[in-house]
Amino acid sequence: MLVDVRLLGPVELRTAGGRLLVVGSAQRQLVLAALAVDAGRAVAMETLIDRVWGEHPPAQVRAGLYTRISHLRGVLTTAGPARPPAAADDGLGGPDGLGGPDRLGGPDGLGGPDGVGGPDGVGGPDGVGGPDGLVLTPGGYVLRVDPSRVDLLRFRCLVTDAHRRDRSDPDRLELLAEALGLWRGTPLAGLSGDWVEQVRRGWELERLDAALDWARLALGVGQPAQVIPTLRQLTDRHPHSEPLAVLLVRALIGEGRVAEAAQVCQTVSRRLVADLGVHPGHELRCVQQAVLGGRPLPPPTPRRPPAAPAVIPAQLPADTPAFAGRTAQLSRLDSLLSATGAAPTAVMITAVSGTAGVGKTALALHWAHRVAHRFPDGQLYVNLRGFHPTGQVMDPATAIRGFLDALGVPAQRIPADPDAQTGLYRSLIAGKRMLVLLDNARDADQTRPLLPGAPTALALVTSRDALTDLAADGAHPVPLDLLTDTEARELLERRLGTTRVAAEPAAAEQLITACARLPLALALVTARAATNPRFKLAALAAELTAASQSPPDGKDVIGQVRAVFSWSYRALSPDAARLFRLLGLHPGPDTTAPATASLAAIPTAQARPLLADLVRAGLLSEPTPGRYGFHDLLAAYATHLTRTEDSDQERGAVAERLLDHYTHTAHAAARHLDPARDPIPVPLTPPAPGATPEQPGDYDTALGWLDAERPVLLAAQQHAARTGRDTHTWQLAWALDTALDRRGRWHEQTGAWQTALPPAGRLPHPAAAHAHRLLGLAAARRGDHELAHTHLDRALHLYTGADDPVGRAHTHHALGILWERRGQPDRALEHDQQALTLCQAAGHRSGHAAMLNAVGWCHALLGDHTAALTYCQQALTLHQQLGDRYGQAATWDSLGYAHHHLGHHTHATDSYTHALTLARDLGDRYYEATTLTHLGDTHHAAGHPEAARAAWATALDILTDLDHPDADTVRAKLTAPDQQPP
């Protein structure tokens, strides 16, 4: 039995021959739809009830569901006998179709041993009607229908197929046209209910995205007339969609219908202002101005198809140990999730709010861990630090870049524009079942860019703010109050044991009262009690009560919890108490034992047990091994203590030691990454007394330390800038530069140098020139050529004024890189020759080697390969004498390129092999891809097409990950009919 289930219009069930099967009433259709969206997967009874009846099911709901299930079984039985699946050439059963091993029918899809036809009860003798039917399994009801025959699922599969990297534009166009052809009107037409409305909105947005992609492709191949009717129809359904309006205008202009195009622009602009109170975006404004001015339309903004995450993120911190209470709130969260079904089909935003220390994070994490299995595509987490005592609230763009990291996006692929970053983030999780936990948000504005756009995602937000503004975005509030007496007692029992609490009920009640039923305070009390199991609770309660300045009155909860802090703090040893206070001065999100040792001017061996003491006391957390952090309230308390108990001189010394620790360690690590780099232009002074910087022993250790400490180093630099420490601010930017560049983190590289630029103007030469030069290089790598010229010209002016020939040489080389990227190697050669002359005259050996290679490379680009070999061989010899592996890698690649174009294929292959080995050792993926591309060219020219394809394919994977424009060139090599390199 093969049946087709149609949801993208009126709900229909048809046989393979096209015969319509009568499903019956609207509720029977709804049961069918609720099962079909998860065809081949078990749908729990509770989920079915939620989808069909919502939050108010009838009294005998299960009996009603059984009746409808029984009816559907009978309808399926009438479909007829089973027959084999469609042949491979019809696109459904073959290896490239929807039924093959890479699609919905194979071992990795829904038809394998864990899905349809498997041994888990779905394909056994209890099934109805042979291979298809409706059966009950331990996990719930399974509609055993080939998912490729459910129009919604087939639509999604075709869209995914169209976004595959190896698809040509004509293939994409055909696949998207087929996907859009499955729509027959309003999905689930004639049905109603919360679930229906939610999924309908989500599916309509999926259709819109697919239609936009299809229209872009069709316009790209010169088919404007074909897209106009569809775009007109979609404009009526989505009157505020600017991308849709832009495409419709382009199509109308393509057909010469200028007046209609102008009318569309005006209509959409009026709607945006009248309905939403916003003005048209940049692209629509540019198009409208061109239409009204009678000018050619600007080129369309390129849109890359969403790429699937390379990894499944699992960012949730550990669940709170011995979590207790909050039954009502957990049930509320469960019911909200159930309202969207096993797979949420509309973006659900849940806002957990409450006072500081009330346990918002603990509740959110506990519930998130409970339901993580329902989000198999991953869980994202970020602490937005909305109320951190340092005032360093996390910028949403920083949080999004962290999410993109977690989703496997190379830093080089992250666009410069914050809105584009948000768009990429939402594209990556579109269609994914993901949980996004935004912890400790300051307000709704901080969270909005981070909210997923995927109808299958769930956003869980915690904040001290009530986040009422998020209600407009559909947020469900979950306010969190103090624990009840029963919940507080349960927490004590979980942490101390039922026997111990039951033995002293009055003392337990006294502790609960003293802690004002605030979870954070109770956690501190139980931590103190757990470390002293022989202490009577009555003694602890008396001690805590005596430490309080006034009896608890239930009004000033934060005041009462500070009394608990004070009690816990006074129980520390003098050394641990001092360390706790001084940690309040740390500017970063977390710290390590070596950094803490410098902060406190103690040996690392002494810092480790003191940190462990603070963790045991509940005053510090260790979310990951070896990294320590504060609760915001405890950080604020520690900051208050150090300001009242430590002198200004001591606090200043702490800041100097900590900044010296990070600056000196980062400098040592940077030296491992680039040993041939010029000495730091603003020299380091010896570290402050008591500071003990770390000494990374090798390249890998250095790069690992810089990666792990990057957020702390950037926060430390910001702190140095805010507190007027100009030298530290500049030196930290210098120390971070190589690592950020190698990792392609050009946004952060730019930010670090922008922070350092004002202090650089107050420091001696060449601090400002150096900042401008490296800002220019970062802009060039981001593709912002005009900004790059501005900074590089300024740097050259400053170096010239200071009579600094080496600085001028570096700047000329940077300008050479910029002109090469702009496609003008002759201009690049002019600058590189000037740089070479300056380095030779100054006796600057590493610069001399780098410029020899640069001049040789420019000669190769201009076709003078013999001269290229002469220059590059000199460069290689000098790089080898200096031990500069990075320079050697670049030069071996240049030599390979020249040998290739002279027909020396064996020498070229050998050169590229040397370059590849070094590039991989250094972890520079762009150089690796460039060399692989060149190596593929040589293999092809030497008559080894398979080796060429292998090299090009690997290069394409890397460049696609980096979102580098060179990927198009390599793709052309792979898809050319004769595979001739361009």
Side-chain angles (χ1 to χ4, degrees), residues 204-273:
E204 288 279 11
L205 290 175
E206 291 182 58
R207 179 192 187 187
L208 176 61
D209 285 342
L212 292 174
D213 286 341
W214 166 78
R216 289 188 186 97
L217 289 166
L219 291 175
V221 297
Q223 299 176 5
Q226 180 180 346
V227 304
I228 290 174
T230 300
L231 294 180
R232 284 282 195 194
Q233 180 188 30
L234 288 171
T235 301
D236 293 338
R237 303 177 73 89
H238 303 278
H240 303 115
S241 173
E242 294 186 55
L244 184 59
V246 168
L247 286 173
L248 178 56
V249 169
R250 292 185 183 279
L252 290 168
I253 292 293
E255 285 292 288
R257 297 156 65 173
V258 179
E260 292 180 61
Q263 183 62 44
V264 170
C265 290
Q266 293 170 355
T267 300
V268 174
S269 298
R270 283 199 302 267
R271 284 173 179 166
L272 290 170
V273 173

Side-chain angles (χ1 to χ4, degrees), residues 356-357 482 491-492 509-529 540-552 556-572 580 617-619 633-634 637-638 641:
L482 301 174
L491 189 151
L492 289 182
E509 290 302 322
Q510 192 175 354
L511 288 173
I512 290 170
T513 301
C515 292
R517 294 181 281 118
L518 198 69
L520 178 60
L522 285 165
L524 290 173
V525 169
T526 54
R528 176 91 181 275
L540 291 173
E543 188 179 325
L544 177 56
T545 301
S548 301
Q549 296 180 353
S550 61
D556 184 11
V557 174
I558 301 302
Q560 290 175 242
V561 79
R562 284 180 183 151
V564 179
F565 292 171
S566 172
W567 173 72
S568 299
Y569 167 73
R570 291 172 188 170
L572 297 171
F580 175 76
L619 294 168
L633 278 182
L634 288 166
Y637 180 63
L641 287 175

Side-chain angles (χ1 to χ4, degrees), residues 22 105 108 153 222 308 354 444 458 517 552 641 651 673 775 818 913 940:
V22 179
D108 296 326
L153 303 182
L458 180 147
R517 294 181 281 118
L641 287 175
R651 294 197 304 277
L673 265 58
L775 272 170
L818 179 58
T913 302
H940 191 273

